[in-house]
């Protein structure tokens, strides 16, 4: 699940999140850890321009700092940057940050990457927004090397080149932490197919997913990549049980069996990871929902 509180766009944040903070994040991460959630995720924006601040808010926690903090209070749940805009910085900086996070967490990092969509963030750092896709492609390749097993990695690309420079600590995971690509544009699907270990779509409805997955697999086969790709999705908002309040017409609610039956449809499409979000009016209601999902719905998915 994507963590609440750490990003507060009006598109998805609940009203209680505005007054929440680190204590709430820690409790939610601990519940996710106990309930068997696969990962908790944190998104990245560096600075929100005024023209977007009303809709997006300016509350976006740093993913490395946030996930490192939560690594110290959890034991099992994996830690996903969903997504890090890695094209904004040199890959050696990103490699240092996320290799350290993987080491601190005992090998629980999943590095999720995306192209970014706010031009002002790129302009402030002197990065060409129009070329962000090409920059991201090269950055991913550089990160595969920089996060790999070699203490002194070597890479030479169009924009980045390094050799003879050692970085430690190395990641715990071998040969390196997985890199998942986020996004649903044609470029993002191509990037996931040709360069990613996993794919997380953004905004695709159910009826769109089979076509997207077919395209991704065809592109991966055409690129000659034999390693399997982890295919994820973001499910509709959920509420386990009868809510008794207006949770929105797209929210999937009701008995655990009904929710599980609906979510199993994703498996038939080829989806292997489902990112969930629960409607809630407080942190307590959210963690109650997580507990109910872990105890009553998840066993029906995995059985």
């Amino acid at each position: 699940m994507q963590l609440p509180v750490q990003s507060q766009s009006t598109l998805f944040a609940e009203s209680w999140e505005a007054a929440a903070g680190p204590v709430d994040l820690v409790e939610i991460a601990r519940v996710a850890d106990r309930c068997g959630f696969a990962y908790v995720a944190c998104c990245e924006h560096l600075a929100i321009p005024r023209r977007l601040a009303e809709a997006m808010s300016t509350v976006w926690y740093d993913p490395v700092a946030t996930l490192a903090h939560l690594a110290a209070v959890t034991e099992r749940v994996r830690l996903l940057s969903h997504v890090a805009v890695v094209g904004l910085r040199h890959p050696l900086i990103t490699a240092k940050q996320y290799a350290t996070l993987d080491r601190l967490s005992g090998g629980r990092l999943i590095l999720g990457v995306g192209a970014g969509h706010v031009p002002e963030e790129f302009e402030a750092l002197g990065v060409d927004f129009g070329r962000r896709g090409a920059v991201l492609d090269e950055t991913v390749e550089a990160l595969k090397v920089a996060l790999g097993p070699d203490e002194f990695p070597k890479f030479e690309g169009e924009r980045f080149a390094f050799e003879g420079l050692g970085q430690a600590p190395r990641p715990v995971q071998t040969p390196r932490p997985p890199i998942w690509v986020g996004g649903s544009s044609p470029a993002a699907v191509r990037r996931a197919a040709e360069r990613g270990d996993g794919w997380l779509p953004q905004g695709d409805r159910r009826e769109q997913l089979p076509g997207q997955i077919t395209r991704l697999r065809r592109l991966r086969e055409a690129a000659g990549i034999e390693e399997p790709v982890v295919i994820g999705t973001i499910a509709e908002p959920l509420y386990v049980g009868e809510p008794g309040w207006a949770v929105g017409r797209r929210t999937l609610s009701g008995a655990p069996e009904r929710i599980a039956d609906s979510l199993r449809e994703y498996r038939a499409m080829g989806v292997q990871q489902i990112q969930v979000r629960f409607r809630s009016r407080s942190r307590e209601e959210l963690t109650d929902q997580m507990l109910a999902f872990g105890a009553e719905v998840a066993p029906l998915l995995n059985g």
Side-chain angles (χ1 to χ4, degrees):
M1 63 178 288
Q2 185 92 342
L3 289 162
V5 181
Q6 53 82 33
S7 60
Q8 295 190 25
S9 168
T10 58
L11 294 175
F12 49 75
E14 302 285 7
S15 59
W16 63 268
E17 295 179 47
V23 171
D24 303 280
L25 277 170
V26 166
E27 180 58 25
I28 292 162
R30 283 173 167 162
V31 171
D33 202 42
R34 294 199 305 268
C35 289
F37 280 66
Y39 64 73
V40 291
C42 184
C43 195
E44 178 175 48
H45 275 290
L46 294 182
I48 306 302
R50 288 187 185 276
R51 68 180 181 86
L52 297 175
E54 184 176 356
M56 292 182 64
S57 94
T58 59
V59 179
W60 295 85
Y61 284 42
D62 177 77
V64 177
T66 304
L67 295 174
H69 181 67
L70 299 179
V73 298
T74 55
E75 297 179 355
R76 184 207 56 82
V77 70
R78 302 201 72 175
L79 308 162
L80 168 67
S81 58
H82 182 217
V83 290
V85 188
V86 293
L88 287 173
R89 57 186 66 85
H90 194 286
L92 284 180
I93 297 175
T94 300
K96 169 59 74 175
Q97 293 175 313
Y98 283 98
T100 303
L101 176 55
D102 194 62
R103 176 63 59 174
L104 290 171
S105 66
R108 290 189 277 147
L109 169 69
I110 304 171
L111 178 55
V113 302
H117 66 92
V118 179
E120 289 90 339
E121 290 181 305
F122 288 77
E123 292 166 4
L125 297 179
V127 180
D128 186 349
F129 180 76
R131 296 284 295 165
R132 68 192 185 282
V135 171
L136 177 55
D137 285 345
E138 184 172 317
T139 300
V140 169
E141 294 305 311
L143 285 170
K144 289 179 180 179
V145 175
L147 290 170
D150 294 336
E151 182 180 352
F152 291 86
K154 179 180 179 180
F155 179 82
E156 185 171 352
E158 181 181 339
R159 299 162 186 83
F160 307 114
F162 47 85
E163 66 173 311
L165 296 169
Q167 284 191 330
R170 305 304 302 157
V172 172
Q173 298 180 77
T174 56
R176 57 172 173 77
I179 298 176
W180 290 6
V181 175
S184 293
S185 68
V189 174
R190 174 197 53 76
R191 187 171 296 116
E194 297 177 355
R195 305 178 191 276
D197 304 305
W199 174 55
L200 264 176
Q202 185 72 40
D204 285 320
R205 293 179 179 266
R206 290 194 188 209
E207 60 270 18
Q208 298 171 311
L209 274 175
Q212 291 276 64
I213 292 171
T214 296
R215 180 171 178 268
L216 182 145
R217 286 177 170 160
R218 286 175 178 168
L219 287 169
R220 197 168 182 86
E221 182 179 0
I225 302 173
E226 297 182 357
E227 292 82 3
V229 60
V230 176
I231 296 173
T233 194
I234 302 175
E236 301 87 348
L238 305 179
Y239 195 95
V240 183
E242 298 302 328
W245 59 284
V247 294
R249 63 181 182 85
R250 288 193 65 242
T251 299
L252 177 59
S253 64
E257 294 81 5
R258 178 177 184 269
I259 294 173
D261 284 345
S262 181
L263 294 181
R264 275 196 295 265
E265 294 177 5
Y266 285 112
R267 177 186 293 165
M269 300 176 192
V271 171
Q272 298 149 312
Q273 294 275 358
I274 301 176
Q275 184 177 125
V276 295
R277 179 172 73 86
F278 303 96
R279 295 302 318 276
S280 60
R281 294 164 292 179
S282 65
R283 187 196 81 192
E284 292 74 21
E285 185 169 28
L286 172 59
T287 53
D288 285 348
Q289 283 289 303
M290 294 169 65
L291 289 163
F293 185 89
E296 301 172 29
V297 180
L300 301 177
L301 298 176
N302 297 325

